[in-house]
Amino acid sequence: MSDLAELEVVLVDGVSVARLSGEIDLSNAESIGGAVVPLFDQPGVGVVIDLTRIDYLDSAGVRLLFRVAQASERSGRSLRVVVPAASHIKRILDLADAQHAIQLDETELAAVAAIRDGSV
C-alpha cells in the first residue's frame, strides 16, 4: 500500500473495522481494496470502513468503495462506511450518489451498532 494511506483493521463487537487515514487515490486504491475485500471472508457479521481520518479521496477511491460494496453483496455480509456529515469526503460521496449503494454513518459506533442490529 502506498505511504499516502494507512490501514488499521480491528474487531469491534464482532465487526471488522477498517480504519483508514491519509489519502486514497489512483496510486493506492487497488492495494487498499486488496486489503479490505478479504475482510468479507473472515468470521464476523459485517465490515465497517472508517473514512473519518481520510484527507483526500479521488474517483479511484470512490470506485474502490463501490467495489467493496459489491464484495459485501456477494458475501451476504453488511457494509457500513463512516463519513462525518460535515466532511469534504461526504460531499464527494454525495456527488457520486454513493448513498444508493453504500450505507453511510457519521460515527464508527453508529456503524458497528447498525451492523450488529441488522439495520440497513
Side-chain angles (χ1 to χ4, degrees), residues 24-25 29 57-69 89 92-98 102:
I24 303 174
D25 63 17
L57 182 78
D58 72 1
S59 61
V62 173
R63 282 191 306 275
L64 162 69
L65 293 175
F66 282 111
R67 194 171 90 231
V68 171
I89 302 301
I92 292 167
L93 295 178
D94 287 346
L95 289 170
D97 210 18
I102 302 167

Side-chain angles (χ1 to χ4, degrees), residues 29-86:
E30 190 68 31
S31 61
I32 292 169
V36 172
V37 169
L39 295 175
F40 291 102
D41 297 329
Q42 296 181 5
V45 294
V47 174
V48 169
I49 299 175
D50 189 341
L51 301 179
T52 303
R53 295 175 297 198
I54 289 296
D55 301 318
Y56 178 80
L57 182 78
D58 72 1
S59 61
V62 173
R63 282 191 306 275
L64 162 69
L65 293 175
F66 282 111
R67 194 171 90 231
V68 171
Q70 290 173 336
S72 167
E73 286 183 32
R74 284 192 303 273
S75 73
R77 295 180 58 209
S78 298
L79 169 68
R80 309 290 290 205
V81 175
V82 178
V83 184

Side-chain angles (χ1 to χ4, degrees), residues 6-10 12 17-21 48 50 53 108:
E6 292 183 20
L7 171 66
E8 172 191 27
V9 178
V10 296
V12 178
V17 178
R19 296 175 180 151
L20 288 156
S21 60
V48 169
D50 189 341
R53 295 175 297 198
E108 184 179 298

